[in-house]
Amino acid sequence: ANRAPNNIELFSRGLGSQSGLPDPCDGVTASSVGAFDDTCRQDPVVAGVISALGSFTDPMVQVQQPTFGNGALSEETANTITAGGVFTPSFVPGLQVAVDYYSIKIDGAISEISADDVLDICYTSGDFSGTPSCSIPVRDAVTGQLQEVRQTSLNINQLRTKGIDATVAYRFTPSDTSAPLLNAVPGDISFTGTLSRVLQFEEEAPVPGTTTTFVDDELGLLGTPKFSARFAMSWQNGPF
């Protein structure tokens, strides 16, 4: 399956977004030790604040995170494997159980490297001046506060996801039962429940300005839960 980029992904001139963005340099001092600390001290603006105040503190203000289009995008292609089965037991009329497995790999998936990832790639690099990602964040020249981190649409190397969906559906006619009151209800009643388990959801994306890649595991984060469930009940009486 193929999908071509849409107009927003191609031509957006800065789709606005503003929200809180944790600064990896928060709490860094001239002698602190941490995953980000060495590179933070190489950032001239952060180093200036540390020299003047003794430490760098993140004021936790809103940061501009605009997403820009990319006219060089190409179409994405997907390889999909699915398998499943349906069980309709004769001893429980109206019951249907379906289980489906899927595995999807999208090459050249259109996405963007998030502002958080841009900061992580930069400040874990150990080389502020030699890492292209470090030229993306914009800081206030005096306070060092993050003001903007741009995100750009691009064809990531690959998006990979797999999971299992299980659905149970049951339909019955209340008047056919012997339950008091229930057998007086006209029409049909249906119940449907679906449980989904995502086993994998990750993106392999290029590090901006380099030929290397990094894997962003998004499973379990907001928007990509490991488990999700849906339940529905309906009643039908007559042709409608």
Side-chain angles (χ1 to χ4, degrees):
N2 297 344
R3 185 184 79 86
N6 60 42
N7 288 336
I8 293 177
E9 294 165 337
L10 287 169
F11 306 117
S12 173
R13 287 295 173 261
L15 195 61
S17 174
Q18 180 173 304
S19 63
L21 183 64
D23 193 322
C25 295
D26 183 42
V28 173
T29 68
S31 58
S32 60
V33 177
F36 306 106
D37 296 39
D38 286 343
T39 312
C40 286
R41 285 189 286 266
Q42 295 174 31
D43 184 330
V45 179
V46 175
V49 174
I50 294 174
S51 177
L53 303 178
S55 65
F56 182 86
T57 302
D58 179 8
M60 297 298 291
V61 297
Q62 300 289 294
V63 179
Q64 293 287 342
Q65 301 167 53
T67 299
F68 286 79
N70 180 356
L73 289 173
S74 58
E75 68 179 15
E76 56 186 26
T77 59
N79 294 316
T80 303
I81 298 174
T82 60
V86 179
F87 177 53
T88 53
S90 58
F91 53 86
V92 185
L95 177 65
Q96 184 178 83
V97 180
V99 178
D100 295 287
Y101 167 83
Y102 62 88
S103 177
I104 303 171
K105 294 182 180 180
I106 303 177
D107 291 315
I110 299 170
S111 184
E112 61 273 334
I113 298 177
S114 70
D116 288 291
D117 287 334
V118 169
L119 294 176
D120 286 347
I121 292 169
C122 169
Y123 290 105
T124 57
S125 68
D127 182 10
F128 182 85
S129 62
T131 302
S133 297
C134 294
S135 65
I136 298 175
V138 177
R139 292 183 179 274
D140 183 278
V142 177
T143 66
Q145 169 192 320
L146 282 170
Q147 295 180 318
E148 180 184 89
V149 181
R150 290 190 174 195
Q151 305 169 115
T152 302
S153 296
L154 71 159
N155 290 105
I156 64 174
N157 283 33
Q158 196 175 81
L159 185 150
R160 299 181 286 266
T161 184
K162 63 178 67 172
I164 299 172
D165 296 324
T167 300
V168 177
Y170 181 58
R171 180 187 180 96
F172 71 102
T173 302
S175 60
D176 290 343
T177 70
S178 58
L181 298 181
L182 182 61
N183 59 14
V185 177
D188 296 322
I189 296 177
S190 299
F191 299 93
T192 304
T194 300
L195 176 65
S196 298
R197 170 67 162 100
V198 181
L199 303 173
Q200 179 188 44
F201 195 100
E202 62 186 24
E203 295 180 344
E204 183 179 352
V207 176
T210 75
T211 58
T212 61
T213 64
F214 74 102
V215 175
D216 186 11
D217 185 358
E218 300 183 13
L219 183 59
L221 301 181
L222 183 64
T224 53
K226 293 181 179 180
F227 291 94
S228 62
R230 298 179 299 277
F231 177 78
M233 175 183 174
S234 63
W235 172 68
Q236 180 178 346
N237 185 33
F240 304 106

